[in-house]
Amino acid sequence: MTIPDLPEPAFSDLESMLSRKFGKEIANYFSGSPLNRVSFLRTDHSFLSAALKHSTTSFLVFNDLNPLAKDPSNLEYLSYADVRPLIGEDPYSKSEEQLVSEYNSTVTVPQLLFLGLDERNKQGLTFNIYTGSPYFAVDVTPKGTIQSQAESLLQSLQSRGLRFLEGRIQAALPAQDAAIYAQARALLDWNARNPFCAQCGQPTMSINGGMKRTCPPKDMASLAGSVGGTVGATPTERPDCATRKGISNVCFPRTDPTVIMAVVSSDGKKVLIGRQKRWPPHWYSTLAGFVEPAESVEEAVRREVWEESGVKLGRVVIHSTQPWPYPANLMIGAVAQCIPGGEEIILKHDPELEDARWAEMEEIREALRVGTSGLGEPAQEGYREGNLRLPAGTAIANQLLTAVANGFNGESPKI
């Protein structure tokens, strides 16, 4: 598989006090979206209606969280006419408040997400002071009362030679498409995982362009013949729910912070790497783990490294971050240094790793040159079987190892 280029950092050519002191910003795969999310417009249904039907609007559709594509390197975006048989003429024709008041838990509403505007297209939709091509995502998985419409759409797409990319991780897409895909997948996954209220257990509904869920106070479902709407009928009051009181009256998307770290020895000559049992032979990576409640990033780095390897750390510096939409992680990349005398590897604390070891910088540099790829995929030309294998450039682990082995941002090594 060809590894795509990484996204360009914002204002990468701009010299500033911060860039001179800390180096250029690092942008990782799944970041660098070309879209302006204009989050403050998500509640404006006049804007969403106009965006939905504009001639420059693109729809990225998913079936069981798999995106529609021409091939593994090229997503396929649909038009409003393509998705209208499924989503309806205009799901934003009524205000958010009215839709909540008419909520019917027996009717399946296709999950629709507003992703943002691509402001590079000056011929796109103009709304107030904002101009750009709108982007939406739609879940077209057949289910509930939309099963037949969704199946018809899937058959139509298949007849056009299109397919949905299966597999948990999509890492062959161009950087900007990968960022759009990551935003859409993470939000569709979150909506699918939260169909019920965490407080009272009743069904929730999607609002705010797909970015929030609410627990409606009433439900048309108990009314005879309620499927399809009951204009003028009086819906049944649902039991009381704490989420309808105060300021915590909606459910927001979840993002789980995760630390991932390149650990260097106290003398700066070696790097700590580890491997899981399920990985192919010779594959290693940096260590990683979840940030726990009431824990700083620096504390999480020190704790996770000690728990997994027994190594004790001193200084921790944040390097860069990477959105990881599987399902909703933010990988916080760090570089950390071992304290003198703290380099002994002990694997008996947390049995997550099969092995951990210290690698010389030159071994890391050689593996970065010819031994990287997706997990289980062949290495580059020049790789010698039995040598170290490392993650591809689309993984933040690769960027962290590059930083400590070759110096930050292409400068001379700082460690």
Side-chain angles (χ1 to χ4, degrees), residues 232-252:
T234 302
T236 300
E237 295 282 346
R238 288 166 52 157
D240 191 30
C241 180
T243 65
R244 304 188 200 114
K245 301 175 182 178
I247 60 173
S248 301
N249 57 356
V250 291
C251 177
F252 293 88

Side-chain angles (χ1 to χ4, degrees), residues 55-325:
S55 60
T56 65
T57 299
S58 297
F59 293 83
L60 180 59
V61 301
F62 288 73
N63 181 22
D64 287 330
L65 296 178
N66 300 316
L68 184 68
K70 300 183 184 73
D71 56 62
S73 299
N74 293 280
L75 296 176
E76 174 72 5
Y77 294 94
L78 301 183
S79 68
Y80 168 68
D82 293 322
V83 299
R84 182 173 54 191
L86 179 67
I87 67 173
E89 187 70 26
D90 186 358
Y92 302 116
S93 61
K94 299 178 181 179
S95 69
E96 193 169 275
E97 293 75 16
Q98 188 174 0
L99 291 174
V100 172
S101 71
E102 297 177 355
Y103 175 67
N104 185 337
S105 59
T106 64
V107 175
T108 306
V109 178
Q111 184 60 60
L112 184 61
L113 306 174
F114 172 66
L115 302 177
L117 295 175
D118 187 345
E119 296 176 310
R120 296 172 300 178
N121 186 358
K122 303 306 179 184
Q123 305 304 313
L125 170 69
T126 295
F127 186 87
N128 295 337
I129 62 173
Y130 313 104
T131 297
S133 296
Y135 276 71
F136 288 84
V138 187
D139 183 1
V140 299
T141 307
K143 54 188 171 183
T145 58
I146 60 169
Q147 174 126 5
S148 61
Q149 297 94 320
E151 289 175 346
S152 295
L153 177 57
L154 295 183
Q155 291 172 4
S156 172
L157 297 175
Q158 186 177 14
S159 69
R160 291 160 56 177
L162 301 172
R163 62 189 176 111
F164 290 90
L165 298 180
E166 297 184 354
R168 192 176 79 88
I169 297 175
Q170 303 301 333
L173 300 170
Q176 293 187 341
D177 276 343
I180 294 172
Y181 154 79
Q183 179 190 0
R185 189 198 188 280
L187 287 170
L188 288 177
D189 192 354
W190 169 75
N191 275 281
R193 288 171 185 263
N194 292 272
F196 300 103
C197 178
Q199 174 66 31
C200 68
Q202 298 177 94
T204 57
M205 69 176 289
S206 176
I207 59 172
N208 201 245
M211 282 292 295
K212 298 178 184 178
R213 298 191 70 86
T214 189
C215 182
K218 302 177 183 179
D219 193 345
M220 294 282 192
S222 62
L223 301 175
S226 61
V227 175
T230 53
V231 178
T234 302
T236 300
E237 295 282 346
R238 288 166 52 157
D240 191 30
C241 180
T243 65
R244 304 188 200 114
K245 301 175 182 178
I247 60 173
S248 301
N249 57 356
V250 291
C251 177
F252 293 88
R254 174 173 174 168
T255 297
D256 298 319
T258 306
V259 289
I260 180 167
M261 39 278 175
V263 174
V264 297
S265 57
S266 59
D267 62 5
K269 296 181 179 179
K270 294 174 289 185
V271 182
L272 180 67
I273 53 177
R275 61 171 278 109
Q276 297 182 12
K277 186 176 182 179
R278 63 184 177 85
W279 291 356
H282 317 303
W283 283 78
Y284 282 78
S285 185
T286 55
L287 275 58
F290 287 100
V291 180
E292 295 190 348
E295 184 177 49
S296 71
V297 169
E298 291 83 357
E299 289 172 320
V301 168
R302 295 188 186 98
R303 175 184 56 77
E304 283 287 345
V305 169
W306 178 81
E307 288 180 353
E308 293 184 3
S309 70
V311 171
K312 299 176 182 178
L313 301 183
R315 183 74 166 97
V316 176
V317 178
I318 295 175
H319 172 270
S320 62
T321 59
Q322 179 180 37
W324 192 252

